[in-house]
Amino acid sequence: MALIVQKFGGSSVANRERLFNVARIVANTHNEGNDVVVVVSAQGDTTDDLIAKAAEITHSPSQREMDMLLATGEQISIALLAMALGELGCPAVSLTGWQAGFHTNRTHTKARIRRMEAERIENELAKNRVVVVAGFQGINRQDDITTLGRGGSDTSAVAIAAALKADLCQIYTDVEGVYTADPRIVKHARKLDVITFDEMLELASLGAQVLNNRSVELAKKYSVNLEVRSSINNVPGTIVKEVVDMEGMLIKGVAKDVNVAVISILEVPDEPGMSFKIFSLMSKHNINVDIILQSAGRPGYKDLIFTVPLDDKDTAYRVLQENLACFGGKSIEVDDSVAKVSVVGAGMQSHPGVASTMFGALYSSGINIRMISTSEIKISVLINKDEADRAVNAIHDAFLG
Ligand code: ASP
Ligand code: MG
């Protein structure tokens, strides 16, 4: 007998048929003698629909009222799933985020979990009930409802697993696991049996949308056993854990991120403190800078080129333009016709030649590299957006073909 947390995303509970499918998976797990806590998201596009409804009323809704509204989506799912479990003869009780003990900070619409009080869940489990918990929501010190940010139910599930010291946290989704590349782009992409937390974090932040970033961070911090698997096909998924056989696969995946823009500041005086001034401005406006390149311009000047998330490009441009005099650049250019393509694998720490294989694959495909960045377990290149899918395929072939 084990304690298992199972999380089902919006598409897995989208309608009556899907809900009963989920209820059967849960009931089977319970019938096998396990304690089960289920975390669900809002059905289908409910959260998007609720956001659209708010936009019909106002363009600047109060964040508190936004959370009040968005939290209703998950509440529908928990009640319906508890009813479906009842229909299957499986004892179940639904709990909202606050009933389940999610205490968050006060940041509405992207709250962070401060602490988890799991007594209520434990008491319900002791009564042999399946506990169905609303994901994505909690309560702050003022007793106001908060939400954890889009895709936050993964984090809810991992937080419960950590608090209850669950044996396993299963994230059910509409794909069979974590793939070596997006199967819609790469025909030969294959499912990974295992991946490390660090690799998963890189892939998650590079746009491989199977798991929410924060949930992986949390799972790593509390050593939660994670499995990503399909709610439709009953096949083993991908296990995410701390250490994976280093002799195994060198490269775990190739990811593409089109949510990126390049900012170039031309002819900045070549003096101490210029980079400091520029990147302080970015950090003051909460803009995450990724790849940075500094190149020699004409004597006495340099060009500073860096990437920012696509959504932040206008703010970045405006802020830099307003402060141009302060760091003395000549002009600022913004380019959003780019994509970042990356290979990820913990094995590359101890294997030379990953960069050359990657660059060789791009060269053979006639694709020009504009910028490069590396970490211990990742190499990213910035290329033209319209060549990105070709690049992902060429690189995938070179390492995993
Ligand atoms: N329903 C929320 C969203 O769509 C939370 C989640 O799906 O995890 O973002
Ligand atoms: Mg959702």
Side-chain angles (χ1 to χ4, degrees):
M1 189 185 118
L3 171 54
I4 301 179
V5 176
Q6 302 185 314
K7 183 259 170 180
F8 296 89
S11 60
S12 300
V13 294
N15 52 40
R16 177 187 175 279
E17 191 196 343
R18 293 271 179 110
L19 262 170
F20 271 104
N21 171 54
V22 166
R24 274 189 296 272
I25 295 173
V26 173
N28 285 342
T29 313
H30 188 250
N31 289 340
E32 284 162 9
N34 302 298
D35 282 338
V36 188
V37 180
V38 189
V39 175
V40 280
S41 306
Q43 293 184 286
D45 296 327
T46 303
T47 308
D48 291 326
D49 296 343
L50 290 170
I51 291 171
K53 266 190 195 305
E56 285 172 14
I57 308 290
T58 165
H59 289 300
S60 52
S62 131
Q63 300 291 86
R64 179 193 182 278
E65 302 309 334
M66 254 345 251
D67 277 349
M68 187 63 98
L69 179 68
L70 295 189
T72 62
E74 270 67 16
Q75 208 166 319
I76 296 174
S77 299
I78 54 170
L80 293 178
L81 181 57
M83 290 177 198
L85 283 163
E87 284 300 297
L88 300 184
C90 179
V93 60
S94 66
L95 299 178
T96 61
W98 50 103
Q99 288 177 309
F102 278 95
H103 295 268
T104 73
N105 67 6
R106 59 166 82 208
T107 321
H108 282 293
T109 75
K110 29 182 170 323
R112 299 189 78 93
I113 301 168
R114 280 195 299 121
R115 128 185 94 85
M116 179 79 227
E117 273 169 18
E119 286 92 320
R120 176 72 191 270
I121 297 181
E122 281 162 352
N123 291 342
E124 298 295 349
L125 288 174
K127 293 179 198 154
N128 194 35
R129 288 174 171 161
V130 166
V131 186
V132 185
V133 178
F136 173 59
Q137 51 178 252
I139 194 163
N140 66 18
R141 279 206 182 94
Q142 284 75 44
D143 285 350
D144 282 330
I145 296 171
T146 52
T147 62
L148 306 180
R150 296 306 306 269
S153 337
D154 289 347
T155 309
S156 308
V158 172
I160 292 178
L164 296 175
K165 302 200 168 39
D167 298 288
L168 181 62
C169 180
Q170 298 179 310
I171 307 286
Y172 283 84
T173 172
D174 47 11
V175 293
E176 286 181 5
V178 183
Y179 280 72
T180 52
D182 185 339
R184 288 167 303 186
I185 301 176
V186 177
K187 231 182 37 232
H188 305 296
R190 50 180 198 271
K191 189 183 73 194
L192 294 162
D193 294 331
V194 282
I195 186 168
T196 68
F197 288 125
D198 289 333
E199 290 169 332
M200 191 63 236
L201 269 177
E202 291 287 6
L203 286 177
S205 56
L206 291 169
Q209 255 135 27
V210 268
L211 271 181
N212 171 284
N213 243 356
R214 268 166 66 192
S215 71
V216 186
E217 275 168 21
L218 205 62
K220 178 178 159 71
K221 187 165 166 196
Y222 292 98
S223 302
V224 172
N225 273 321
L226 262 190
E227 181 189 12
V228 180
R229 58 182 294 149
S230 162
S231 61
I232 297 142
N233 305 320
N234 185 17
V235 290
T238 303
I239 301 282
V240 192
K241 57 182 193 177
E242 188 58 53
V243 199
V244 172
D245 172 20
M246 291 294 272
E247 299 299 310
M249 290 164 70
L250 179 58
I251 294 303
K252 288 297 168 52
V254 184
K256 167 181 101 163
D257 183 4
V258 293
N259 178 30
V260 43
V262 180
I263 310 265
S264 308
I265 312 179
L266 303 179
E267 301 208 357
V268 179
D270 195 4
E271 291 162 15
M274 291 306 163
S275 303
F276 168 67
K277 284 183 189 163
I278 289 168
F279 294 115
S280 301
L281 274 174
M282 296 295 97
S283 107
K284 201 173 120 201
H285 289 83
N286 266 320
I287 297 173
N288 235 333
V289 171
D290 185 25
I291 311 178
I292 302 175
L293 199 81
Q294 178 179 310
S295 66
R298 65 188 167 91
Y301 294 90
K302 61 193 173 189
D303 298 336
L304 261 174
I305 304 160
F306 55 92
T307 63
V308 297
L310 194 57
D311 291 341
D312 291 330
K313 74 173 200 307
D314 295 333
T315 315
Y317 179 78
R318 182 178 51 76
V319 170
L320 290 166
Q321 195 69 49
E322 283 167 10
N323 291 279
L324 200 54
C326 148
F327 51 81
K330 183 167 164 241
S331 60
I332 300 166
E333 288 168 9
V334 180
D335 181 359
D336 58 12
S337 66
V338 294
K340 187 167 72 174
V341 172
S342 312
V343 290
V344 173
M348 73 172 70
Q349 290 174 80
S350 50
H351 281 80
V354 173
S356 74
T357 304
M358 181 182 190
F359 302 157
L362 292 169
Y363 172 55
S364 313
S365 310
I367 295 170
N368 188 36
I369 301 172
R370 299 173 50 168
M371 289 166 90
I372 300 170
S373 85
T374 64
S375 80
E376 279 190 324
I377 66 166
K378 172 192 86 170
I379 301 174
S380 300
V381 295
L382 206 73
I383 59 174
N384 289 335
K385 197 179 265 175
D386 53 15
E387 293 175 324
D389 288 358
R390 224 153 46 77
V392 171
N393 271 288
I395 296 167
H396 191 273
D397 272 355
F399 287 104
L400 299 152

